[in-house]
Amino acid sequence: MNEQYADHGTRLTLQQFDEGGFVAVIFDPLRGRTRPAASHSDEEIIDVLTGADGTVGVDTSGWAVLTGAGMSTDSGVPDYRGPDAVPRQPMTIQTFLSHPDQRARYWARSWVGWPRMRSARPNAGHLGLAALPVAGIVMQNVDGLHQAAARQMGSDSPVIDLHGSLDRVICLDQGHMFDRDWVQTRLSELNPDFAKLVGIDPIDVETAPDGDVDLEETADFVVTDCPRCGGLLKPDVVYFGDSVPPARLQDANRICDEASGIVVLGSSLAVLSGLRFVRAAAKESKPVVIVTDGPTRGDELADYRSISRVADFVQDWALRGIQGDDDKLQA
């Protein structure tokens, strides 16, 4: 039995397995795309971003910024589609809901990966962007590093976690919200010998962008339910096949609608929830800047395209003297 879903611009095929659940196969919309050449030098693009190019006339505070996994690779968080990325099959909402074994699989992998994800710190790219008075940041990552950078730099620019955040856990039945560290402690109490049994050292494992790890033996992992109503607990993130909460999407739309242009940093725009902002800007003839070292689904919409490393580009943008002292931008 196969069932197809189309969401976020990514096609999902759910294949039934023996236990009555489903496993998702995600088809990459970037398949067949190649990295384009840079349209301009980084110096020329930064002239545009800082308003030094009078033909565009957009200063830094007029730009909405859309960020992706490429922003966090220098913080030790891998991406899904970068040139060195290992092919992955992230959890979908349909798979998560399909069977208790799938929820055990997710929470076991997340439990192992959370300490390393929690220890990640903002890199120079996050800090550089937080030093710039932009119209707002719409982040597709779920690692919370933009918010951490904003606190460190004292930034007033709004940050929208479009796809949620791993440090929150939500009850799917009643909407109760819990701190991820509390859930981690509870899972550790329920599974005191799990790491030893599966031969995993949490210090040395490699996490995925959504905070889990590759782990096969998960059937014996004990999952905790909502302590208030007994409902299913899920990280407060938007899985593949899920939808962005309407209020959060409205906030992101407002930032991008009011901005004079959009800058994409470290995103392949593979999912529709991010690509739609670029399409809307292009439709309104607002300038579109894309900075990432791989292909994107929005390359044909870009007015300015850089293939530089994101952290290097953002540091150069910040160090142009927009705001703050140079020594504040060191990770």
Side-chain angles (χ1 to χ4, degrees):
M1 174 182 177
N2 287 340
E3 187 171 357
Q4 289 188 349
Y5 291 76
D7 193 22
H8 299 316
T10 302
R11 184 159 59 93
L12 308 178
T13 298
L14 305 187
Q15 299 178 343
Q16 193 170 24
F17 60 88
D18 291 342
E19 290 82 358
F22 292 89
V23 61
V25 179
I26 299 177
F27 294 88
D28 190 349
L30 291 175
R31 184 176 298 173
R33 287 180 175 262
T34 58
R35 182 176 73 169
S39 64
H40 301 73
S41 70
D42 286 356
E43 183 176 357
E44 290 172 323
I45 297 175
I46 292 172
D47 282 343
V48 173
L49 294 176
T50 57
D53 186 333
T55 62
V56 176
V58 180
D59 64 18
T60 297
S61 62
W63 294 97
V65 181
L66 175 70
T67 67
M71 281 294 301
S72 296
T73 53
D74 282 2
S75 296
V77 182
D79 60 7
Y80 278 116
R81 299 178 178 88
D84 299 321
V86 177
R88 302 179 188 272
Q89 290 292 335
M91 180 71 72
T92 70
I93 187 62
Q94 293 83 9
T95 301
F96 183 84
L97 295 175
S98 68
H99 196 272
D101 284 351
Q102 290 297 333
R103 291 188 287 280
R105 171 175 169 263
Y106 172 80
W107 280 114
R109 293 156 63 109
S110 179
W111 175 77
V112 173
W114 174 243
R116 185 165 181 179
M117 179 65 73
R118 189 182 188 280
S119 69
R121 295 293 179 264
N123 61 55
H126 295 111
L127 297 173
L129 185 57
L132 294 164
V134 295
I137 301 169
V138 179
M139 55 177 281
Q140 298 175 89
N141 295 346
V142 294
D143 51 36
L145 295 178
H146 280 302
Q147 289 92 335
R151 291 191 296 270
Q152 184 172 336
M153 300 298 293
S155 172
D156 294 327
S157 298
V159 179
I160 305 298
D161 52 357
L162 187 66
H163 293 156
S165 182
L166 283 172
D167 63 0
R168 306 187 300 261
V169 175
I170 189 170
C171 168
L172 294 181
D173 288 13
Q174 299 293 330
H176 304 306
M177 199 73 71
F178 302 94
D179 183 82
R180 179 65 177 82
D181 284 335
W182 177 87
V183 174
Q184 185 75 6
T185 299
R186 180 60 180 147
L187 292 174
S188 297
E189 293 170 349
L190 293 172
N191 300 274
D193 300 318
F194 183 77
K196 182 185 297 185
L197 289 173
V198 298
I200 286 289
D201 182 351
I203 301 299
D204 294 332
V205 296
E206 179 182 353
T207 58
D210 52 5
D212 66 357
V213 301
D214 288 329
L215 189 64
E216 296 302 326
E217 300 297 328
T218 61
D220 294 330
F221 193 81
V222 180
V223 174
T224 186
D225 292 325
C226 176
R228 296 182 63 181
C229 69
L232 297 180
L233 292 182
K234 167 186 166 295
D236 189 25
V237 299
V238 178
Y239 284 3
F240 281 86
D242 208 349
S243 299
V244 177
R248 193 181 302 161
L249 182 59
Q250 184 177 5
D251 289 340
N253 282 333
R254 176 183 50 78
I255 288 174
C256 294
D257 288 346
E258 295 176 358
S260 302
I262 188 167
V263 185
V264 179
L265 299 175
S267 174
S268 64
L269 300 173
V271 293
L272 185 57
S273 55
L275 178 62
R276 63 189 305 274
F277 299 112
V278 174
R279 287 177 171 171
K283 185 176 181 179
E284 297 177 14
S285 298
K286 295 179 180 180
V288 173
V289 177
I290 297 179
V291 182
T292 191
D293 57 4
T296 82
R297 290 180 73 192
D299 286 335
E300 65 275 10
L301 302 175
D303 299 290
Y304 303 92
R305 183 66 161 91
S306 168
I307 55 175
S308 297
R309 292 181 68 257
V310 174
D312 294 341
F313 181 93
V314 176
Q315 286 184 90
D316 288 344
W317 180 10
L319 290 173
R320 182 67 70 89
I322 301 303
Q323 178 180 323
D325 298 326
D326 292 358
D327 60 355
K328 292 182 180 180
L329 304 179
Q330 302 302 314

